[in-house]
Amino acid sequence: MLSYILRRVLYAVPIALAVSLLCFLLVHIAPGDPVNAIVPADAPQAVVDQIRAEYGLDKPLPVQFGLWLLKVVQGDLGRSLATGRAVTDDLFVAVQNTLRLSLIAAAIGFAAGTLLGAIAGAFRGSWIDRVAVGTPPPASRCRITGSAWCWSSSSASR
């Protein structure tokens, strides 16, 4: 079992590198200049060049990727161009909110599932049992895949 886990972790390393390289290249292929997002349109070229040098955008792409990868391995995700704050701080806030929402959703799902299970057990074989047993899958589809799919599938089933 330990060799299986080790092999899977070793497979994940080149995949993570390939995905990070692909994302890095997609960001650079996208139209527009990231520096233009943080400086006014009428900024002098000297200011644009200074900001480009601060963020390392004046270096060749392989060097930029290597420096970025080195920082990521060290835990430094850099600063957000949009907010100016450290990306790790923004990420920490987002993870906290995601965990809160996940725990609340799990508690609601557990409570609803327990209630519907008790109702189905109390009215075994009746139409109430069939409704209680048939309710959770469509409800979970709505929660997982989003309201657009939920509304389209519920209106199509009528």
Side-chain angles (χ1 to χ4, degrees):
M1 183 66 169
L2 182 62
S3 66
Y4 174 76
I5 293 172
L6 185 62
R7 191 170 59 242
R8 291 306 228 178
V9 169
L10 290 176
Y11 285 152
V13 171
I15 292 171
L17 283 172
V19 168
S20 65
L21 179 62
L22 181 67
C23 291
F24 181 81
L25 291 175
L26 284 174
V27 167
H28 283 281
I29 291 172
D33 186 5
V35 176
N36 291 338
I38 54 177
V39 296
D42 59 347
Q45 188 60 34
V47 172
V48 173
D49 291 340
Q50 177 188 358
I51 291 175
R52 191 169 273 121
E54 282 178 23
Y55 283 99
L57 297 173
D58 57 341
K59 295 177 175 57
L61 284 181
V63 174
Q64 287 182 34
F65 180 71
L67 292 173
W68 174 81
L69 194 60
L70 185 65
K71 287 181 181 180
V72 166
V73 169
Q74 295 172 352
D76 179 13
L77 298 179
R79 295 206 158 283
S80 169
L81 291 175
T83 64
R85 295 188 308 250
V87 172
T88 50
D89 294 343
D90 290 344
L91 198 59
F92 184 70
V93 170
V95 167
Q96 281 182 324
N97 292 335
T98 300
L99 286 176
R100 283 187 192 124
L101 286 172
S102 298
L103 289 174
I104 290 169
I108 291 171
F110 179 76
T114 302
L115 177 65
L116 288 172
I119 290 171
F123 297 98
R124 182 175 294 190
S126 70
W127 66 272
I128 297 173
D129 176 25
R130 288 190 295 279
V131 169
V133 170
T135 300
S140 64
R141 274 198 307 259
C142 293
R143 184 176 62 246
I144 292 170
T145 60
S147 60
W149 186 84
C150 172
W151 288 113
S152 65
S153 68
S154 64
S155 62
S157 63
R158 290 184 190 155

